[in-house]
Amino acid sequence: MDPRAELYKRRLGDAPYEICIERARLVTGAYRRTEGQPPATRAAKAFEQIVRHVTCSVLPEERIAGNRTSKVLGTVLPVERGDVNVILELELDALLARPERPFHIEPEDRRELVREILPWWRGRTLRERKNALLRRAGLVTLPALGPRALIERRRALDLGRLGRVVTPPGARPIAALRGLWGVLHNNPGLATNVFDVQGHLILGHCNVLRKGFRGIREEAGRRLAEGRATLDSEGRAFLDAVIRSTEAMRELGHRMAEACVRAASAAPEPGRRRELLDMAARCRHLPWEPPESFVEAVQALWLTQEGGLLAYGSPAILAAGRLDQHLVPYYLEDLRAGRITEGEASG
């Protein structure tokens, strides 16, 4: 393995699991201020706040800029969606004290999360909204608990593994029961609807690579201008949210450029300083403008992934999709032009 990659791997492997509440704090504040506004508007304004205030940093071994939290190993908290809120409220102690890879959270962050952020979202999350709509539509089904049903369920499911997932070691009995009920209740299709934000989404990277977020913003602006007389309020709010979100992606690139410049000023080696300044130059126009080289395409794709994660909130899968098809034209063109070698591309 390349020595630099080995150092990067070791840094990540040795880092503790940490809970970062930055996104949770920012999205909560934004939604507090926008109650009563259209959902698309609230989501876009929340994304703007996240992008403007979330920590942007670059690790010493990184060649591509873009971090998702203020921690080396720390995931986002999708508090507005609600699928992890019960776990955080009931089992935070167990997560912090578990014997293998315990999580860590700063005391002041824990107080804010437990006393301010999570309580505000009770009754307001997407999960609770979905469950209310399911009940209203008569789609809530309770699991059959007769002898035959239990035998069939035991044959079809690994209930022992399911129990370990929803009731981790050290869980309090009442929390364990509530966790199991949360899996079984309000899930008409148990196999496909256990959680609300499974992820497994592929972002529109081909559009970003082809025309940049500037092109997407221009298209949304044209549609909004052409449809002002015919669009309903929901359509206008959606297009306005697209415009806000694309401009937020431009700001994300600018803020990552600033992080690269800060890292360059502290870098001891001239080679690393030049590398960081090159990264900053790329981030100043990506992913707002379409990329023109293989390295730019990789950077644009990664910042788009980061933006999707910050906007969507779920730590689940946001896949890059057909990565080879997205990147191979840039790679082959750079090889032909002598701008890159196979070794540089893979490193």
Side-chain angles (χ1 to χ4, degrees), residues 13-30:
D14 294 342
Y17 286 1
E18 298 187 83
I19 296 174
C20 174
I21 71 164
E22 276 190 342
R23 184 192 179 278
R25 176 193 296 129
L26 293 167
V27 75
T28 302

Side-chain angles (χ1 to χ4, degrees), residues 86 89-91 166-168 170-182:
V86 172
E89 286 184 318
L90 295 178
E91 291 309 314
V166 300
T167 59
R172 298 191 300 273
I174 188 171
L177 290 174
R178 187 172 177 182
L180 184 59
W181 179 252

Side-chain angles (χ1 to χ4, degrees), residues 108-342:
E108 59 272 20
D109 288 349
R110 176 177 178 167
R111 283 192 294 271
E112 182 179 355
L113 180 65
V114 172
R115 297 180 184 178
E116 299 178 28
I117 296 174
L118 293 175
W120 189 83
W121 283 104
R122 291 174 193 153
R124 293 183 170 96
T125 66
L126 177 64
R127 184 179 182 85
E128 290 162 306
R129 171 65 173 165
K130 185 204 74 169
N131 289 345
L133 291 173
L134 288 174
R135 286 193 295 270
R136 192 178 306 164
L139 295 175
V140 173
T141 58
L142 296 178
L145 298 177
R148 182 175 179 179
L150 289 176
I151 292 173
E152 291 179 351
R153 198 178 301 276
R154 178 65 183 86
R155 289 174 178 168
L157 296 173
D158 185 344
L159 296 182
R161 178 172 296 178
L162 177 62
R164 290 191 295 274
V165 169
V166 300
T167 59
R172 298 191 300 273
I174 188 171
L177 290 174
R178 187 172 177 182
L180 184 59
W181 179 252
V183 171
L184 296 178
H185 185 239
N186 286 345
N187 285 296
L190 183 59
T192 58
N193 195 28
V194 173
F195 298 107
D196 296 275
V197 286
Q198 284 285 1
H200 301 276
L201 305 176
I202 298 175
L203 303 180
H205 289 295
C206 55
N207 291 328
V208 176
L209 296 178
R210 186 173 68 252
K211 54 189 175 184
F213 277 97
R214 176 178 57 82
I216 297 172
R217 189 247 184 264
E218 290 173 353
E219 181 180 348
R222 285 194 300 270
R223 292 190 184 186
L224 184 59
E226 294 167 358
R228 284 197 181 277
T230 56
L231 287 168
D232 58 16
S233 59
E234 184 177 353
R236 290 192 297 273
F238 170 76
L239 289 172
D240 179 71
V242 171
I243 292 170
R244 286 177 178 273
S245 298
T246 54
E247 291 174 349
M249 286 301 300
R250 174 171 56 179
E251 188 165 358
L252 179 62
H254 289 172
R255 293 201 62 225
M256 284 309 310
E258 293 169 359
C260 291
V261 172
R262 288 195 302 272
S265 67
E269 300 173 0
R272 178 57 174 165
R273 286 197 294 272
R274 287 193 298 271
E275 188 175 62
L276 285 162
L277 292 176
D278 288 343
M279 291 165 61
R282 288 192 287 270
C283 289
R284 287 192 186 99
H285 75 277
L286 298 170
W288 180 248
E289 300 288 349
E292 298 179 355
S293 67
F294 176 76
V295 175
E296 287 191 357
V298 174
Q299 180 64 79
L301 188 148
W302 183 245
L303 283 176
T304 303
Q305 285 288 116
E306 180 191 357
L309 183 68
L310 292 175
Y312 187 61
S314 172
I317 298 170
L318 290 180
R322 296 175 173 178
L323 191 63
D324 54 345
Q325 294 185 24
H326 293 328
L327 297 179
V328 73
Y330 301 94
Y331 171 66
L332 293 177
E333 178 60 29
D334 281 7
L335 278 180
R336 282 193 292 267
R339 288 190 294 263
I340 200 170
T341 66
E342 290 186 6

Side-chain angles (χ1 to χ4, degrees), residues 68-79:
R68 64 184 188 177
T69 74
S70 63
K71 313 297 183 183
V72 174
L73 284 184
T75 189
V76 296
L77 295 179
V79 289

Side-chain angles (χ1 to χ4, degrees), residues 44-112:
K45 288 183 176 180
F47 183 47
E48 288 176 327
Q49 283 297 107
I50 294 167
V51 165
R52 287 170 184 162
H53 299 289
V54 74
T55 296
C56 292
S57 60
V58 184
L59 294 178
E61 299 82 18
E62 290 179 327
R63 293 183 173 99
I64 301 297
N67 61 294
R68 64 184 188 177
T69 74
S70 63
K71 313 297 183 183
V72 174
L73 284 184
T75 189
V76 296
L77 295 179
V79 289
E80 74 274 30
R81 302 188 179 276
D83 60 333
V84 300
N85 294 21
V86 172
I87 297 172
L88 290 171
E89 286 184 318
L90 295 178
E91 291 309 314
L92 186 55
D93 288 339
L95 292 173
L96 301 178
R98 64 186 188 180
E100 295 185 12
R101 301 306 295 253
F103 279 83
H104 172 76
I105 185 171
E106 296 297 331
E108 59 272 20
D109 288 349
R110 176 177 178 167
R111 283 192 294 271
E112 182 179 355

